[in-house]
Amino acid sequence: MSNANEKRQAGEAAIRYVEDGSIVGVGTGSTVAFFIEALADLRHRIQGAVSSSEQSTAHLTRLGIPVLDLNAAGPLSLYIDGADECDPHKRLIKGGGAALTREKIVAAAARKFVCIIDSSKQVDLLGAFPLPIEVIPMARSLVAREIVKLGGQPVWRDGVVTDNGNWIIDVHGWRIADPVALESELNQLAGVVTVGLFARRPADVVLLGDREI
Ligand code: 5RP
């Protein structure tokens, strides 16, 4: 099956986790786009969505799904999002679409995080996909030098500005044996806004196509 078909299946299967009357946390990306399309059919049964990006907000709004502010919504029962890599412990690399900061915030606010992927995202060890890190622009070189000291090869995603007005560094060359420790270490660097490792708060459920793994 093609990746696009598996993404569609995963996006549609995630609908079964949506509870009537709830506010749904919505991630970003092409897999989530299938979820948003399916969610539109249920729009009269939910209060609305909290969005993780301007891209998803535009999609939700276009389909008539109310987009709510997280501060007003409070704790969420559910967050649905894709990933760039997923290991056997449901730890993720995210941020290929540069939306990692708001994604991490909405994931943190949710009781259940359902990650929707196709089989190309499944890995034994995280790190073949370059690890995205959102940085305050003035700290780009400082953070890059610290990453080199930690053995990574930082590449500035030139021309990309996040929804928060920041920049992205993609780190190549890491095979991440202890993602929780690396996430914690990188979080301490001055100028780092968000690390695209979702290991301290991994997914609770992973849907590969329509199958829970
Ligand atoms: C965006 C993300 C996405 O979830 C990730 O890049 C996967 O995207 P796609 O579903 O298009 O493969 O983290 O920041």
Side-chain angles (χ1 to χ4, degrees):
M1 185 183 292
S2 75
N3 288 349
N5 278 342
E6 284 182 345
K7 286 182 180 198
R8 175 186 295 281
Q9 281 191 341
E12 292 177 354
I15 285 295
R16 63 176 179 252
Y17 296 90
V18 176
E19 292 168 11
D20 282 359
S22 65
I23 301 172
V24 184
V26 175
T28 300
S30 56
T31 316
V32 164
F34 289 118
F35 172 71
I36 294 174
E37 293 289 327
L39 190 64
D41 294 336
L42 303 187
R43 66 183 177 280
H44 300 301
R45 290 172 36 193
I46 60 170
Q47 288 187 60
V50 169
S51 171
S52 63
S53 65
E54 300 301 326
Q55 180 190 314
S56 288
T57 297
H59 194 176
L60 290 159
T61 305
R62 199 165 61 244
L63 295 180
I65 301 169
V67 176
L68 309 173
D69 185 283
L70 181 62
N71 293 307
L76 304 173
S77 53
L78 178 67
Y79 179 56
I80 306 287
D81 199 359
D84 299 300
E85 282 188 347
C86 175
D87 81 2
H89 304 284
K90 303 183 176 65
R91 301 176 299 199
L92 314 170
I93 285 183
K94 292 185 45 56
L100 61 165
T101 294
R102 296 188 191 186
E103 290 174 339
K104 202 171 254 194
I105 292 168
V106 185
R111 201 166 63 241
K112 181 178 277 187
F113 175 7
V114 176
C115 183
I116 50 178
I117 59 169
D118 63 85
S119 36
S120 71
K121 310 294 180 62
Q122 255 190 318
V123 297
D124 287 328
L125 199 61
L126 298 172
F129 189 93
L131 175 65
I133 300 180
E134 181 165 348
V135 297
I136 298 290
M138 71 174 287
R140 173 174 62 89
S141 298
L142 171 69
V143 173
R145 286 193 296 275
E146 294 301 318
I147 286 168
V148 169
K149 284 184 206 161
L150 293 169
Q153 296 141 32
V155 176
W156 178 28
R157 209 182 293 178
D158 198 0
V160 171
V161 178
T162 71
D163 287 346
N164 315 302
N166 297 318
W167 291 350
I168 298 284
I169 293 173
D170 294 304
V171 185
H172 297 246
W174 271 336
R175 292 292 172 269
I176 304 172
D178 188 344
V180 173
L182 184 64
E183 183 179 0
S184 301
E185 185 166 13
L186 294 171
N187 277 339
Q188 304 303 320
L189 296 179
V192 166
V193 177
T194 301
V195 180
L197 275 171
F198 286 53
R200 290 160 55 93
R201 197 276 184 254
D204 300 300
V205 173
V206 175
L207 282 176
L208 195 170
D210 58 6
R211 190 167 51 90
E212 232 184 79
I213 57 170

